[in-house]
């Protein structure tokens, strides 16, 4: 469950660049100091120990100027592994507007008071000092594909040989709501931060036996099990703190639960029975941000209006910058049929858009056939880093990449379930598909826990710390 180094690591020996063949554990470390378990965990703005640790990357003979856009799960990982696998000759610049990253993973636990938003903060000091990544605090505002350069929010430009875009998602105006409504009245809290705090405050202030309404957008969306996990945790919180008559109405635009079907069916119908009401296949959702009246049409066409105390619209999203006029759209990189995602070649994560040579897109912004998830973003980043190193060395990307994903879902404040999947390249269809242990793809399925328990909850914390450490430390 916790082993998430994918095949690029194990396939190092396939790389003909002898000096670049550095498995992660073999990288010589100089002057290690501090606690490498939490190297760059930024709790409330204070970086913990470990910033003086330096990695002496090998001289692989490779050189190149690589710009990474976005310091989230995908961007931080690709910057780190480009250094580990590409060696000391690469110039790697990470462009990120925030001074630290707030993990979405585990942020549902802020809603029931188990965690704080500040406990989910990860800084960039380790990437800078340990791996020699140049961290530029700015946002990319434009891409000049012909000149191979990006313009930043401070007006400066950066040129690149390879550009890796990992900007995550933007949230669309939906259900009659605006961005200002999300920020102040009806938070989606689907990017962890101030909206997560607002939603937890609203939950804490709910009256006894009140009504919480949440929506789930049509797939694909960020973190398939995430909304169902949130519904379970909110139900657990409300019935514990606000009375057994509390209600959680889940309005799902999908026709069925999108992940961990057995676990969440049990959570909705048994564990939190009487509290959660699950409506699938809803349409025409409309939300009044002031009165908190929510109107929707159910599967049989009945129109219902519910008066809620708190409304949590997880609205449809799209690759950051892909709104009409946005920087990704202006570069023509949002080339999925609906214009919301960047389509990539899953062997290298290079964009398939016209004239996009040298541009790679990873993480939630990419349309790659795997779920939009942090663990998967970490895996995509490694496949991409491996492909870039090979391409810089005049080789072709690994023709058979494998990735895996694990995800733990708390169903109560102390118990969790999990799912895990292996994905491998299907050359016939040129996409990543679910595989089983023996590498067979026909009939292979995502595996989910047979029950929820406290042991899973403990393992969840180990998995989370390991994943975040692998991405940011
Ligand atoms: C409540 C919740 C729970 C979740 N739980 C899990 C879980 O248990 N397991 C799991 O695997 N996944 C989980 N996820 C999903 C996971 O958080 C995302 O899939 C993951 O963060 C995607 O990584 P990313 O790098 O693509 O985007 P992000 O992590 O969002 O990072 C994008 C970065 O790009 C930056 N950026 C944006 N625009 C620009 C620009 N123009 N210039 C420069 N930088 C820019 C942003 O500031 C941000 O730092 C969860 C998500 C949510 C909302």
């Amino acid at each position: 469950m916790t082993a998430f180094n994918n095949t690029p690591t194990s396939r190092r020996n396939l790389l003909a660049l002898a000096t670049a063949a550095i498995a992660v554990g073999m990288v010589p470390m100089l002057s290690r100091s501090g606690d490498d378990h939490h190297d760059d965990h930024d709790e409330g703005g204070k970086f913990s120990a470990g910033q003086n640790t330096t990695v002496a990357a090998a001289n692989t003979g490779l050189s190149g100027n690589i710009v990474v856009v976005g310091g989230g799960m995908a961007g931080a990982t690709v910057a780190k592994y480009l250094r580990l696998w590409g060696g000391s000759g690469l110039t790697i610049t990470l462009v990120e507007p925030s001074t630290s990253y707030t993990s979405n993973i585990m942020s549902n636990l802020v809603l029931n008071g188990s965690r704080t938003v500040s406990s989910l903060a990860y800084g960039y000091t380790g990437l800078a000092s340990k791996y020699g990544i140049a961290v530029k605090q700015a946002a990319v505002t434009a891409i000049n594909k012909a000149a191979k350069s990006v313009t930043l929010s401070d007006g400066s430009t950066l040129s690149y040989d390879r550009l890796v875009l990992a900007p995550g998602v933007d949230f669309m105006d939906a259900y009659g709501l605006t961005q200002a409504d999300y920020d102040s009245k009806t938070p989606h809290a689907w990017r962890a931060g101030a909206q997560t705090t607002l939603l937890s405050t609203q939950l804490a202030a709910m009256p006894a036996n009140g009504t919480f309404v949440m929506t789930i957008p049509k797939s694909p969306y960020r973190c398939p099990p995430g909304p169902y996990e949130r519904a379970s945790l909110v139900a657990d919180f409300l019935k514990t703190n606000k009375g057994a008559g509390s209600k959680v109405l889940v309005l799902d635009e999908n026709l069925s639960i999108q992940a961990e079907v057995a676990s969440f069916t049990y959570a909705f119908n048994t564990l939190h029975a009487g509290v959660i009401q699950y409506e699938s296949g809803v349409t025409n959702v409309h939300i009044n941000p002031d009165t908190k009246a929510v109107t929707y049409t159910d599967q049989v066409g009945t129109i219902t209006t519910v008066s809620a105390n708190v409304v949590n619209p997880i609205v449809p999203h799209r690759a950051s910058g892909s709104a009409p006029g946005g920087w990704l759209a202006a570069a023509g990189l949002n080339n999925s049929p609906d214009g919301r995602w960047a389509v990539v070649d899953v062997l290298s994560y290079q964009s398939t858009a016209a004239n996009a040579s040298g541009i790679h897109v990873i993480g939630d912004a990419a349309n790659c056939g795997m779920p939009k998830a942090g663990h998967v973003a970490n895996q995509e980043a490694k496949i991409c880093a491996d492909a870039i190193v090979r391409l810089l060395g005049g080789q072709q990307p690994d023709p058979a990449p494998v990735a895996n994903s694990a995800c733990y879902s708390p169903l109560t404040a102390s118990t969790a379930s999990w799912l895990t999947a292996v994905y491998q390249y299907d050359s016939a269809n040129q996409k990543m598909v679910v595989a089983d242990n023996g590498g067979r793809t026909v009939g292979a399925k995502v595996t989910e826990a047979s029950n929820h328990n406290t042991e899973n909850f403990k393992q969840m914390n180990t998995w989370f710390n390991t994943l975040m450490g692998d991405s940011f430390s």
Side-chain angles (χ1 to χ4, degrees), residues 68-77 94-98 100-109 111 124 136 138-142 151-153 165-171 188-192 196 221-227 229-230 314 317 320-321 327-328 362-366 371-378 380 405-410 460 463-464 467 472:
V68 178
V69 178
M73 299 302 297
T77 309
L94 176 67
V95 183
E96 163 62 48
S98 302
S100 68
Y101 175 71
T102 302
S103 168
N104 302 305
I105 306 176
M106 306 292 250
S107 67
N108 280 334
L109 288 166
L111 303 180
Y124 299 107
K136 177 91 184 154
V140 162
T141 56
T151 304
L152 308 188
S153 46
L165 303 175
V169 297
D170 283 343
F171 297 88
H188 54 69
W190 216 239
R191 178 192 294 135
T196 315
Y221 60 85
R222 161 177 277 184
C223 193
E229 167 188 297
R230 178 173 287 179
I314 302 176
H317 25 291
S320 265
W327 59 274
L328 198 87
I362 54 176
D364 286 359
K372 298 188 185 303
H375 195 142
V376 173
N378 170 286
E380 293 171 22
S405 174
C407 189
Y408 286 84
S409 301
M460 174 178 73
W463 162 81
F464 175 66
L467 176 63
F472 285 87

Side-chain angles (χ1 to χ4, degrees), residues 364-402:
D364 286 359
N367 179 341
C368 72
M370 292 194 285
K372 298 188 185 303
H375 195 142
V376 173
N378 170 286
Q379 300 280 285
E380 293 171 22
K382 290 174 182 169
I383 296 172
C384 178
D386 179 69
I388 288 175
V389 169
R390 290 176 191 241
L391 289 165
L392 289 173
Q395 299 185 14
Q396 290 306 303
D398 180 351
V402 178

